[in-house]
Amino acid sequence: MPYVNIQVTREGVTREQKAELIAGVTALLVRVLHKNPATTHVVIDEIDLDNWGVGGLPVAEFRKRQP
Amino acid sequence: MPYVNIQVTREGVTREQKAELIAGVTALLVRVLHKNPATTHVVIDEIDLDNWGVGGLPVAEFRKRQP
Amino acid sequence: MPYVNIQVTREGVTREQKAELIAGVTALLVRVLHKNPATTHVVIDEIDLDNWGVGGLPVAEFRKRQP
Amino acid sequence: MPYVNIQVTREGVTREQKAELIAGVTALLVRVLHKNPATTHVVIDEIDLDNWGVGGLPVAEFRKRQP
Amino acid sequence: MPYVNIQVTREGVTREQKAELIAGVTALLVRVLHKNPATTHVVIDEIDLDNWGVGGLPVAEFRKRQP
Amino acid sequence: MPYVNIQVTREGVTREQKAELIAGVTALLVRVLHKNPATTHVVIDEIDLDNWGVGGLPVAEFRKRQP
């Protein structure tokens, strides 16, 4: 009965990419842990860039400073 | 001090239904665990259909294939 | 396809109380949103008292100061 | 490798306030636990007022009844 | 900067299986969304059987009633 | 009414450090967003090293490979 929550920045993830993530994570749980896909739920959260921080900075700012 | 997070697909949940969920979950925690409602928080997340997967498929696709 | 996460302090919640919470939340989602119980998942997290804070204090400390 | 999720009601939190939260939480984890800021992630979720409940009521209703 | 939370029932998941889940989810995010693995975090939560409900029942009870 | 979830690796975080995190996060939300501390909840999750991955590897493995 797995539940998987995937959080990514909101940057134009397409419906096809979301379907690929759902299929891929479910297949992984079936393969590694022999889980039943029918009770495997995947929820994707898309997070606005202003709302994600890393290195103490909002993501956009953080990226600018990377070499 | 309970915190409850309810995740449902975004399919026209009304303000009244949300208030019913909040009231119902809080009453349940008061009844079963004698929690103080004043410190009981309920957060409802509505998830776009494309972002929820079950059975390895986005929900809309999954439902179509159900008998 | 709801997913519900219930977080409570770890203070001797019994197996029977957990089963009541699971049954109660699921019944609520069936009644209010007409959800299918077979795809409704409930996960209970029990949190050590030292790990839960309210009012800027760990719960045990917070409770002592309540009138 | 901390991950911090901050959930607040959606009430006009500005980009500057979000940056302050991100900077402040990261600095706290560096100071208290000596964590590496480069692997410290902060995600802010803004929750619609209708979707947050406390005291068994939606937040707006709850606030009206406070003395 | 993805963050992935995998919740499974606590039923003897081995260290090797956990490493496979971490590697597999990260590879999926790199392949589908071109994410940087160095900022991709995966957190696995193992949930006691009594604390996971589906179909309104604790998991162990639910499984017994499956045909 | 904020709710904050802090996830860190389980590596001997002391009760005093937890209290500092709770106090610090609460003070930050009061200062930046003028939140009421009495309705500000902080939950700390300590995650076993085997259960946290970054860079596609369990944390312990990831750290060994850092220069």
Side-chain angles (χ1 to χ4, degrees), chain D residues 1-9 11 13 17 20-21 24-25 28-29 31-33 35 52 54 59, chain F residues 1-9 11 13 17 20-21 24-25 28-29 31-33 35 52 54 59 63:
Chain D
M1 335 246 134
Y3 165 84
V4 180
N5 179 233
I6 300 176
Q7 301 187 359
V8 293
T9 41
E11 299 179 271
V13 184
Q17 288 172 321
E20 266 195 87
L21 292 176
V25 166
L28 182 70
L29 284 157
R31 183 166 62 74
V32 177
L33 297 180
K35 294 294 182 184
W52 196 305
V54 60
V59 162
Chain F
M1 335 246 133
Y3 165 84
V4 180
N5 179 234
I6 300 176
Q7 300 185 0
V8 293
T9 41
E11 299 179 271
V13 183
Q17 288 172 321
E20 267 195 86
L21 291 176
V25 166
L28 182 71
L29 284 157
R31 183 167 61 75
V32 177
L33 297 180
K35 294 294 182 184
W52 196 305
V54 59
V59 162
R63 285 180 181 161

Side-chain angles (χ1 to χ4, degrees), chain F:
Chain F
M1 335 246 133
Y3 165 84
V4 180
N5 179 234
I6 300 176
Q7 300 185 0
V8 293
T9 41
R10 190 190 303 281
E11 299 179 271
V13 183
T14 66
R15 174 180 291 200
E16 286 70 29
Q17 288 172 321
K18 291 174 187 177
E20 267 195 86
L21 291 176
I22 289 167
V25 166
T26 306
L28 182 71
L29 284 157
V30 171
R31 183 167 61 75
V32 177
L33 297 180
H34 314 297
K35 294 294 182 184
N36 179 358
T39 56
T40 299
H41 291 254
V42 181
V43 170
I44 301 168
D45 285 329
E46 297 171 88
I47 309 291
D48 288 344
L49 282 179
D50 286 347
N51 289 21
W52 196 305
V54 59
L57 295 167
V59 162
E61 202 58 42
F62 177 79
R63 285 180 181 161
K64 274 191 217 153
R65 304 196 186 182
Q66 293 307 98

Side-chain angles (χ1 to χ4, degrees), chain B residues 1-9 11 13 17 20-21 24-25 28-29 31-33 35 52 54 59 63, chain C residues 1-9 11 13 17 20-21 24-25 28-29 31-33 35 52 54 59:
Chain B
M1 335 247 133
Y3 164 85
V4 180
N5 179 234
I6 300 176
Q7 301 186 359
V8 293
T9 42
E11 298 179 271
V13 183
Q17 288 172 320
E20 266 195 87
L21 292 176
V25 166
L28 181 71
L29 284 157
R31 183 168 61 74
V32 177
L33 296 181
K35 294 294 182 183
W52 195 304
V54 59
V59 162
R63 285 179 181 162
Chain C
M1 335 244 135
Y3 165 85
V4 180
N5 179 234
I6 299 176
Q7 299 186 1
V8 293
T9 41
E11 299 179 270
V13 184
Q17 288 172 321
E20 267 195 86
L21 292 176
V25 166
L28 182 71
L29 284 157
R31 183 168 60 77
V32 178
L33 297 180
K35 294 294 182 184
W52 195 305
V54 60
V59 162

Side-chain angles (χ1 to χ4, degrees), chain D residues 8-57:
Chain D
V8 293
T9 41
R10 190 189 303 281
E11 299 179 271
V13 184
T14 66
R15 174 182 292 200
E16 286 71 27
Q17 288 172 321
K18 291 173 187 177
E20 266 195 87
L21 292 176
I22 289 166
V25 166
T26 306
L28 182 70
L29 284 157
V30 170
R31 183 166 62 74
V32 177
L33 297 180
H34 314 298
K35 294 294 182 184
N36 179 358
T39 56
T40 299
H41 291 255
V42 181
V43 169
I44 301 167
D45 284 330
E46 296 172 271
I47 309 292
D48 288 345
L49 282 180
D50 287 347
N51 290 22
W52 196 305
V54 60
L57 296 167

